Amino acid sequence: MSFDQRWGEESELKGETDVRLKWVERLEWRFVLIGSLLAVVMTSIPYLLGASLGDDRRVFGGFVYGVEDCYSYVAKMRQGAAGAWLFHIPYTPESHPGALMYAFYLILGKLAVLFLPGDTTTRLVFGYHVARVTLGIGLLLTTYSFLALLTDQVAVRRLAWLAITFGGGLGWLLVTSGQQNWLGSAPLDLILPEGFTFLVLYAFPHLALARILLLLGITAMLAAWDLVPVGCGGHRRWALLAGASWLLMGFIVPFYVGIAWAVTAVTWVAWGLREERFRWLGAPLAVVAGLVSAPAVAYAGWIFTSQPVYAAWASQNQVLSPHPLHYLVAFGLFLVPAALAVTEVWRAGGLSWFALGWVALMPMLAYLPFNLQRRLVEGVQIPLGFLAARGIYALGVSPRTRRGIAGGWILLLPLTNGLLVGGSSLFLL
């Protein structure tokens, strides 16, 4: 008897999940596409304004947020445009070997000079923003598809998608009250793209692609476990696809692979607890996905430990989590309604319970002994946004009152992002 046959029998014994990937109607995709276009227009306003202000005496550099980081990415693109396939650190005179890092920007630089007009710098900056807009839209479409796995309630996934796309936290309160460095840190919803999708859309195309691959890999892993019936391919094939997605992701952001592994592990545990039996035949499939994606992590570990120049460079890259109250300020608008959905989601049919495990991981990942602590909350806004929307629709109030609450909530969420875009635009003026 094959592994897949044994797994199929196991699935029929008890508690087979009734999750079905609900078809996303054309009207829903129209809603998502219009909303995505609105989001990329909003995030492009300062850039378009800066470009319009240029004249014979002034040239807009192309960036208004995370400027030093963005210029470093353009420097990597320039290496690619000059023919490099391996990355070299441009900030040291020390001799060091090239590394298979930042391949996204090396390849983007090659494409920019090959297909775009203008001088080299113009091509690189414009190519960066083409990637930002294109991959940003791709991320928003992928996010909605992922939400469709968690619920067949169109109103819930629409509300969740709007919150994830445009939502921030209460950082605007700290800024307007003069507490920009409260407890030793700027508000997280202004500086943490891993935590807030709007910031990814605003400035970081490589993070958009990395999150797309993260979500595709998680979806494939769920399909390997029969939690998402897909109608084609064996279980091992889906596990291999999950690993391949995370392998590619790992060559963009290596430590995201660890996040994928952690989400997979906690999902398997939550699945077993909920079904009151652990699906041991599912564990080898997770191992397959882990082994396929492991080379990206192993390579990054080798580079940053065996090569002195890369080790020195990594040692100064400290992105630690601030005081825990900062996370409450950043995610409080999501956490309060999400708390209302916990019991209902755990008991409900379908796959909505999946979101609970990922959210429960957040405080543990955020304070791991790792030099990039706060970046480990990557993608958590997606399950958190879903739980918050589910919590609002679980309120025992009239439909009219519920719509009012949902509308007020969704209008409150973007205030920090509005402050960010408006502040950048005023700064340019």
Side-chain angles (χ1 to χ4, degrees):
M1 184 181 293
S2 70
F3 180 86
D4 286 350
Q5 288 172 327
R6 287 188 287 115
W7 172 259
E9 291 183 3
E10 169 84 2
S11 296
E12 294 171 1
L13 290 177
K14 177 186 175 187
E16 183 177 9
T17 177
D18 60 354
V19 174
R20 294 295 180 267
L21 177 57
K22 302 297 182 181
W23 181 254
V24 180
E25 300 290 345
R26 181 178 298 179
L27 189 62
E28 287 184 77
W29 284 125
R30 186 182 306 170
F31 165 82
V32 175
L33 187 57
I34 292 173
S36 299
L37 293 174
L38 176 62
V40 297
V41 167
M42 287 179 61
T43 55
S44 298
I45 288 173
Y47 304 114
L48 296 173
L49 178 61
S52 71
L53 294 174
D55 55 30
D56 293 338
R57 297 178 295 109
R58 298 176 299 181
V59 176
F60 175 51
F63 302 101
V64 296
Y65 176 82
V67 175
E68 295 85 355
D69 287 342
C70 292
Y71 285 153
S72 78
Y73 299 141
V74 172
K76 297 170 179 68
M77 291 175 66
R78 188 175 291 275
Q79 289 187 26
W85 287 98
L86 296 176
F87 168 71
H88 287 81
I89 301 175
Y91 314 116
T92 176
E94 299 289 338
S95 176
H96 59 281
L100 187 58
M101 297 167 53
Y102 296 106
F104 173 86
Y105 285 113
L106 295 175
I107 294 173
L108 183 59
K110 296 177 187 297
L111 295 175
V113 298
L114 185 61
F115 293 109
L116 297 177
D119 60 82
T120 300
T121 300
T122 300
R123 292 178 183 183
L124 297 179
V125 172
F126 187 59
Y128 186 100
H129 285 291
V130 169
R132 178 183 64 82
V133 169
T134 303
L135 291 172
I137 292 174
L139 172 59
L140 296 179
L141 295 176
T142 305
T143 299
Y144 194 85
S145 296
F146 191 79
L147 290 170
L149 300 177
L150 304 184
T151 179
D152 61 346
Q153 294 178 280
V154 175
V156 171
R157 58 198 191 201
R158 281 188 173 186
L159 182 62
W161 184 85
L162 287 172
I164 294 163
T165 301
F166 297 100
L170 294 172
W172 61 274
L173 276 177
L174 295 178
V175 172
T176 55
S177 62
Q179 298 295 320
Q180 293 92 333
N181 196 41
W182 182 60
L183 296 175
S185 173
L188 288 178
D189 48 338
L190 285 173
I191 62 172
L192 185 58
E194 282 80 9
F196 295 94
T197 301
F198 191 88
L199 299 183
V200 176
L201 305 176
Y202 200 32
F204 304 115
H206 69 294
L207 297 185
L209 179 56
R211 188 176 297 176
I212 289 171
L213 292 169
L214 174 65
L215 294 177
L216 291 179
I218 292 173
T219 301
M221 194 68 249
L222 294 172
W225 285 337
D226 270 344
L227 292 173
V228 179
V230 288
C232 63
H235 301 95
R236 283 171 292 190
R237 188 177 301 174
W238 284 109
L240 289 170
L241 181 59
S245 298
W246 296 335
L247 178 66
L248 291 175
M249 177 186 70
F251 284 107
I252 301 172
V253 189
F255 64 88
Y256 279 16
V257 178
I259 298 171
W261 292 346
V263 171
T264 300
V266 78
T267 300
W268 185 80
V269 171
W271 183 25
L273 292 174
R274 190 172 181 276
E275 298 290 331
E276 298 182 352
R277 72 179 295 188
F278 286 103
R279 304 301 185 96
W280 295 106
L281 290 176
L285 294 170
V287 172
V288 167
L291 290 175
V292 172
S293 54
V297 180
Y299 179 79
W302 174 74
I303 280 289
F304 287 122
T305 56
S306 67
Q307 302 297 324
V309 171
Y310 290 101
W313 185 43
S315 67
Q316 54 79 44
N317 192 15
Q318 300 290 323
V319 188
L320 302 180
S321 284
H323 193 285
L325 288 177
H326 265 287
Y327 284 103
L328 293 178
V329 170
F331 293 107
L333 290 173
F334 290 88
L335 289 169
V336 171
L340 302 175
V342 172
T343 301
E344 186 252 348
V345 161
W346 182 253
R347 293 175 177 172
L351 192 58
S352 56
W353 56 267
F354 161 84
L356 295 174
W358 194 345
V359 172
L361 269 177
M362 185 178 75
M364 294 181 279
L365 292 177
Y367 290 97
L368 280 178
F370 181 58
N371 64 316
L372 302 174
Q373 281 178 336
R374 73 170 183 244
R375 297 189 63 189
L376 293 176
V377 302
E378 162 60 27
V380 75
Q381 191 190 29
I382 294 172
L384 192 55
F386 163 72
L387 290 174
R390 187 70 175 258
I392 288 175
Y393 274 87
L395 291 172
V397 296
S398 68
R400 182 176 181 179
T401 302
R402 187 184 300 116
R403 286 194 296 269
I405 294 172
W409 181 65
I410 211 68
L411 289 175
L412 188 61
L413 284 173
L415 292 181
T416 297
N417 296 326
L419 184 66
L420 178 64
V421 173
S424 298
S425 300
L426 289 175
F427 176 78
L428 286 168
L429 292 173

